[in-house]
Amino acid sequence: MNIGIIGAGNIAAWMAKTIGPMPEAASFAVASRDLKKASAFAEEYGFQKAYGSYEELVNDPDVDIVYIATPHSHHFEHAKLCIEHGKHVLCEKAFTMNAAQAEELFALAEKKSVLITEAIWTRYMPSRKVINDLLAEGIIGEVRTLTANLCYRICQNERLIRPELAGGALLDVGIYPLNFALMHFGDDFQNISSTVLMTETGVDGQECITLTYPDGRFAVLTAGMYGESDRHGVFYGSKGYMVVDNINNPLAIDICGPDHQVMRHIDLPEQITGYEYEVLEMIDCIQKEEKECPSMPHEETLRVLRIMDGLREDWGLVYPQEKHTV
């Protein structure tokens, strides 16, 4: 299928590197508000067409799927543009700024009979099943606690600190530990609490989130944009613990016993970049005329957004675009 990309920044480049070697997808078109930037991107990554506006790309009848790689603040606008022109949409996380925007997009996609899904790659990766199978196997006994963190030194990035671009750590990196907990501990938690450090610009710079489950399990999640973390996800059990190296793109898993020695090491499959799984699932679903991707169904996207909406409400973080609706 012919892939078009809206946006020509770093995330778009990551997707371009992914679909280039894929026989199932063609690097077809890229659009930027700057035609020179789009043309340079197309030349570097082997795209057939470059456009200087997003409108031109969505009006191209040969574009099958549009990948949205613009800031969070613009996802709703750009996804809506694509849907209205009958394009299937793979929208980078966070899917939208809030759940209300997502609900509107899902309703419009159903009306227009197109598929739209959230491109949060960890939901589609084979590592998700590997981790859940190991937990089900009971290799570390009864698991009562999960910790997961994702922190980078990205506070110098203008996109991350500007409220008008829906900045902050939560939508950019905090979404990963949150999804990690929901994928592996489930979504039936009974309580959520958090602590946050806000930036001078008024967005969240660092947070700790705790999910408490009815059976007494805890998921303790940390995200931030001031420094590097080990990015580990750890499950603590009665017979040992399991360490997932890099919750943002799992590389390997170590099973450790009570003596803290590694009992078992599991390397996860090699991949192009990790983005290919979401592309493959989306193409498969389109071919089957399905309207949702099973790895990230619409209700799960809404669930995560509602959780993040609630956290931001607790923190008093309202983006400028939301003020007329909140």
Side-chain angles (χ1 to χ4, degrees):
M1 289 189 175
N2 288 337
I3 309 294
I5 297 180
I6 285 181
N10 292 334
I11 295 175
W14 199 251
M15 179 58 79
K17 293 173 185 176
T18 306
I19 60 179
M22 293 179 65
E24 301 87 355
S27 305
F28 187 72
V30 61
S32 170
R33 297 298 189 194
D34 182 343
L35 180 56
K36 288 184 178 179
K37 186 175 182 179
S39 298
F41 186 100
E43 183 176 354
E44 181 175 358
Y45 296 108
F47 280 69
Q48 297 178 38
K49 296 182 179 182
Y51 292 117
S53 75
Y54 304 148
E55 291 77 11
E56 288 177 279
L57 185 143
V58 298
N59 278 297
D60 187 329
D62 294 323
V63 171
D64 298 311
I65 297 170
V66 179
Y67 172 64
I68 296 175
T70 51
H72 306 137
S73 52
H74 291 67
H75 286 180
F76 173 76
E77 172 193 348
H78 297 154
K80 188 174 181 180
L81 177 68
C82 294
I83 296 169
E84 287 173 340
H85 286 80
K87 304 301 183 187
H88 302 291
V89 181
L90 179 60
C91 185
E92 189 52 53
K93 63 80 197 161
F95 186 72
T96 49
M97 284 193 300
N98 54 46
Q101 288 185 337
E103 288 171 347
E104 185 173 337
L105 289 180
F106 290 146
L108 183 60
E110 183 176 4
K111 180 180 178 181
K112 295 290 186 178
S113 296
V114 298
L115 187 152
I116 183 169
T117 196
E118 183 176 9
I120 178 159
W121 57 342
T122 51
R123 286 274 182 168
Y124 303 82
M125 289 176 174
S127 57
R128 176 179 179 179
K129 184 177 186 302
V130 173
I131 294 166
N132 283 337
D133 286 349
L134 287 167
L135 292 172
E137 184 182 328
I139 194 168
I140 58 170
E142 183 184 8
V143 178
R144 301 301 298 267
T145 306
L146 172 161
T147 62
N149 72 78
L150 193 65
C151 304
Y152 294 107
R153 175 71 180 178
I154 49 178
C155 56
Q156 73 283 359
N157 187 326
E158 187 178 13
R159 177 180 67 82
L160 272 297
I161 61 174
R162 287 174 57 182
E164 64 270 27
L165 294 179
L170 181 63
L171 267 63
D172 202 72
V173 292
I175 192 170
Y176 282 110
L178 183 55
N179 271 277
F180 188 84
L182 297 177
M183 284 191 292
H184 304 304
F185 260 22
D187 53 33
D188 62 334
F189 62 90
Q190 64 181 13
N191 185 57
I192 182 168
S193 60
S194 68
T195 305
V196 66
L197 175 66
M198 303 297 284
T199 68
E200 292 181 356
T201 58
V203 299
D204 59 299
Q206 180 173 304
E207 56 258 353
C208 182
I209 303 163
T210 301
L211 305 180
T212 306
Y213 287 79
D215 58 3
R217 289 176 300 153
F218 281 13
V220 183
L221 318 172
T222 309
M225 56 182 180
Y226 296 119
E228 301 292 328
S229 70
D230 59 22
R231 308 175 303 178
H232 284 173
V234 186
F235 300 88
Y236 303 88
S238 56
K239 298 178 182 178
Y241 56 93
M242 180 168 72
V243 181
V244 179
D245 181 10
N246 189 9
I247 64 164
N248 190 34
N249 182 10
L251 305 171
I253 300 169
D254 283 329
I255 310 294
C256 301
D259 59 357
H260 307 290
Q261 299 300 306
V262 177
M263 299 187 298
R264 184 174 169 188
H265 176 84
I266 301 154
D267 287 314
L268 293 165
E270 291 187 12
Q271 53 196 20
I272 302 171
T273 63
Y275 278 24
E276 62 265 36
Y277 305 111
E278 62 197 41
V279 176
L280 287 170
E281 184 167 317
M282 186 171 191
I283 289 173
D284 181 60
C285 289
I286 292 169
Q287 291 172 340
K288 293 176 179 176
E289 298 185 350
E290 297 175 357
K291 300 308 177 189
E292 297 185 37
C293 286
S295 293
M296 193 54 173
H298 294 171
E299 189 52 45
E300 198 64 11
T301 288
L302 290 170
R303 189 189 316 280
V304 174
L305 285 168
R306 287 168 184 151
I307 292 170
M308 296 195 297
D309 287 351
L311 289 167
R312 289 195 296 113
E313 183 179 0
D314 289 344
W315 304 339
L317 173 52
V318 179
Y319 295 123
Q321 305 94 316
E322 297 177 300
K323 288 182 179 177
H324 67 287
T325 58
V326 174

